[in-house]
Short mmCIF file of all heavy atoms in Angstrom, two decimals:
data_model
loop_
_atom_site.label_atom_id
_atom_site.label_comp_id
_atom_site.label_asym_id
_atom_site.label_seq_id
_atom_site.Cartn_x
_atom_site.Cartn_y
_atom_site.Cartn_z
N LEU A 4 -2.23 -9.40 -7.86
CA LEU A 4 -2.61 -8.21 -7.05
C LEU A 4 -2.80 -7.08 -7.99
O LEU A 4 -1.86 -6.76 -8.77
CB LEU A 4 -1.51 -7.89 -5.99
CG LEU A 4 -1.12 -8.99 -5.05
CD1 LEU A 4 -0.01 -8.51 -4.16
CD2 LEU A 4 -2.29 -9.49 -4.19
N THR A 14 -2.72 19.35 -3.84
CA THR A 14 -2.22 19.34 -2.43
C THR A 14 -3.44 19.49 -1.50
O THR A 14 -4.22 20.38 -1.68
CB THR A 14 -1.16 20.45 -2.26
OG1 THR A 14 -0.05 20.20 -3.06
CG2 THR A 14 -0.72 20.52 -0.84
N GLY A 26 -6.02 -15.76 -6.35
CA GLY A 26 -5.01 -16.82 -6.48
C GLY A 26 -4.30 -17.14 -5.21
O GLY A 26 -3.32 -17.94 -5.25
N THR A 28 -4.77 -17.40 -0.63
CA THR A 28 -5.62 -17.35 0.53
C THR A 28 -5.35 -16.00 1.24
O THR A 28 -4.46 -15.92 2.05
CB THR A 28 -5.44 -18.54 1.51
OG1 THR A 28 -5.51 -19.71 0.76
CG2 THR A 28 -6.42 -18.53 2.58
N TYR A 32 -2.29 -13.70 4.63
CA TYR A 32 -1.20 -12.85 4.30
C TYR A 32 -1.33 -11.49 5.03
O TYR A 32 -2.37 -10.90 5.04
CB TYR A 32 -1.07 -12.66 2.82
CG TYR A 32 -0.63 -13.83 2.02
CD1 TYR A 32 -1.43 -14.88 1.71
CD2 TYR A 32 0.77 -13.97 1.76
CE1 TYR A 32 -0.99 -15.94 1.02
CE2 TYR A 32 1.27 -15.05 1.09
CZ TYR A 32 0.41 -16.10 0.78
OH TYR A 32 0.86 -17.18 0.13
N TRP A 36 1.60 -1.70 1.72
CA TRP A 36 1.62 -0.71 0.54
C TRP A 36 3.09 -0.11 0.63
O TRP A 36 3.63 0.19 1.67
CB TRP A 36 0.61 0.38 0.80
CG TRP A 36 -0.75 -0.03 0.51
CD1 TRP A 36 -1.76 -0.42 1.33
CD2 TRP A 36 -1.40 -0.01 -0.87
NE1 TRP A 36 -2.96 -0.72 0.64
CE2 TRP A 36 -2.75 -0.45 -0.70
CE3 TRP A 36 -0.93 0.24 -2.15
CZ2 TRP A 36 -3.60 -0.55 -1.77
CZ3 TRP A 36 -1.77 0.16 -3.11
CH2 TRP A 36 -3.11 -0.24 -3.00
N GLN A 39 7.28 4.20 -4.77
CA GLN A 39 8.49 4.44 -5.39
C GLN A 39 8.42 5.71 -6.22
O GLN A 39 7.59 5.78 -7.22
CB GLN A 39 8.97 3.23 -6.24
CG GLN A 39 10.39 3.41 -6.71
CD GLN A 39 10.90 2.16 -7.27
OE1 GLN A 39 10.26 1.16 -7.53
NE2 GLN A 39 12.26 2.05 -7.42
N ARG A 53 -3.17 -9.90 9.36
CA ARG A 53 -4.05 -10.80 8.60
C ARG A 53 -5.52 -10.54 8.91
O ARG A 53 -6.32 -10.66 8.01
CB ARG A 53 -3.74 -12.22 9.02
CG ARG A 53 -2.36 -12.69 8.56
CD ARG A 53 -1.96 -14.12 8.97
NE ARG A 53 -0.62 -14.46 8.66
CZ ARG A 53 0.36 -14.08 9.38
NH1 ARG A 53 0.27 -13.40 10.45
NH2 ARG A 53 1.56 -14.40 9.06
N THR A 58 -2.05 -2.43 12.55
CA THR A 58 -1.64 -1.65 11.40
C THR A 58 -0.31 -0.93 11.72
O THR A 58 0.02 -0.67 12.93
CB THR A 58 -2.66 -0.58 11.06
OG1 THR A 58 -2.95 0.19 12.25
CG2 THR A 58 -3.97 -1.22 10.60
N THR A 78 -9.53 -7.76 -0.59
CA THR A 78 -9.11 -6.45 -0.99
C THR A 78 -8.55 -5.65 0.15
O THR A 78 -8.96 -5.76 1.27
CB THR A 78 -10.27 -5.58 -1.62
OG1 THR A 78 -10.81 -6.32 -2.69
CG2 THR A 78 -9.84 -4.26 -1.97
N PRO A 88 2.79 17.10 -2.26
CA PRO A 88 3.59 16.78 -3.50
C PRO A 88 4.59 15.63 -3.31
O PRO A 88 4.82 14.87 -4.21
CB PRO A 88 4.24 18.10 -3.77
CG PRO A 88 3.32 19.12 -3.22
CD PRO A 88 2.79 18.54 -2.04
N GLY A 99 2.67 -10.68 2.06
CA GLY A 99 3.81 -11.42 2.63
C GLY A 99 3.38 -12.24 3.78
O GLY A 99 2.21 -12.12 4.28
N ARG A 104 8.83 -4.13 7.23
CA ARG A 104 8.96 -2.84 6.47
C ARG A 104 9.92 -2.98 5.34
O ARG A 104 10.20 -2.01 4.58
CB ARG A 104 9.39 -1.78 7.40
CG ARG A 104 8.45 -1.40 8.47
CD ARG A 104 9.00 -0.36 9.45
NE ARG A 104 7.95 -0.03 10.48
CZ ARG A 104 7.29 1.10 10.57
NH1 ARG A 104 7.65 2.12 9.71
NH2 ARG A 104 6.39 1.35 11.51
N THR A 119 -0.19 11.26 -8.32
CA THR A 119 0.53 12.45 -8.56
C THR A 119 -0.25 13.60 -7.79
O THR A 119 -1.44 13.79 -7.93
CB THR A 119 0.51 12.87 -10.05
OG1 THR A 119 1.17 11.78 -10.73
CG2 THR A 119 1.30 14.19 -10.29
N SER A 122 1.13 20.75 -6.74
CA SER A 122 1.33 21.88 -5.73
C SER A 122 0.52 23.07 -6.15
O SER A 122 0.00 23.17 -7.32
CB SER A 122 2.81 22.18 -5.56
OG SER A 122 3.32 22.59 -6.82
#
Side-chain angles (χ1 to χ4, degrees):
L4 302 179
T14 296
T28 306
Y32 287 84
W36 285 96
Q39 188 166 16
R53 295 175 186 82
T58 56
T78 301
R104 293 174 180 252
T119 303
S122 57

